[in-house]
Amino acid sequence: MPMNYFSELVNNKILVSTVLGWLVAQVLKTILHTIVNKKFVAERLVGTGGMPSSHSATVCGLTTAVCVICGPGSPEFAVSAAFAIVVMYDALGVRRQAGEQAKVLNQMLDSFHKMGDTDISPEERLKEFVGHTPSQVVVGALIGILIALLVCNVL
């Protein structure tokens, strides 16, 4: 029974597309961050924000695989497409703004720290990599779509 369960999981093209979309985006994000900053930061392997959007890659991998397997007229596709829209809209909106606000607040904390007017240490900074720019979302979406098409043997 356990072997059958594992076999069903790894042969589930929808799940594999979803997970691979996330994984590929996270690895690419880490590589790009290392190239740009000339420093490896392990947190980027699981962290949010940055290029490409792993949220977009994940939900677009899911939605594309559902479309291929269940069809564009299926209720499953409708649910996954709606879910993808909400996730990507949130990454561009609220989460992106939260990241921008974190940058400003961290700059303020740095200034206060230099003046000795705060007990908050520089290590207690707010996370700035939270949301995404439109290009980060588009690239993530394209990665998810491509991965799902490959996994589902469409390409």
Side-chain angles (χ1 to χ4, degrees):
M1 173 104 161
M3 192 60 165
N4 188 34
Y5 182 76
F6 180 75
S7 176
E8 286 183 22
L9 275 177
V10 298
N11 289 308
N12 183 329
K13 291 183 179 185
I14 294 172
L15 180 62
V16 170
S17 297
T18 304
V19 173
L20 272 179
W22 174 83
L23 182 64
V24 168
Q26 287 299 124
V27 169
L28 287 173
K29 179 185 306 194
T30 304
I31 291 169
L32 289 172
H33 187 269
T34 301
I35 291 168
V36 169
N37 296 292
K38 297 177 182 29
K39 178 181 163 190
F40 175 74
V41 178
E43 188 271 337
R44 299 309 308 141
L45 286 168
V46 293
T48 60
M51 172 65 93
S53 166
S54 57
H55 286 86
S56 296
T58 302
V59 296
C60 285
L62 167 72
T63 302
T64 303
V66 168
C67 183
V68 170
I69 292 168
C70 301
S74 69
E76 295 89 350
F77 175 72
V79 170
S80 63
F83 177 63
I85 290 166
V86 169
V87 168
M88 291 188 293
Y89 181 80
D90 183 63
L92 284 167
V94 174
R95 291 180 52 248
R96 182 174 178 203
Q97 288 303 312
E100 294 298 318
Q101 290 173 3
K103 285 180 190 175
V104 172
L105 290 170
N106 284 336
Q107 290 170 350
M108 291 171 61
L109 287 172
D110 289 344
S111 296
F112 293 151
H113 186 71
K114 287 177 186 171
M115 294 184 300
D117 288 344
T118 183
D119 293 331
I120 298 174
S121 71
E123 293 79 31
E124 297 180 70
R125 299 174 62 81
L126 298 169
K127 286 182 76 172
E128 295 179 11
F129 286 113
V130 182
H132 294 284
T133 63
S135 61
Q136 292 169 342
V137 169
V138 169
V139 171
L142 292 173
I143 288 168
I145 292 167
L146 180 63
I147 296 278
L149 293 174
L150 288 170
V151 168
C152 294
N153 301 315
V154 174
L155 289 181

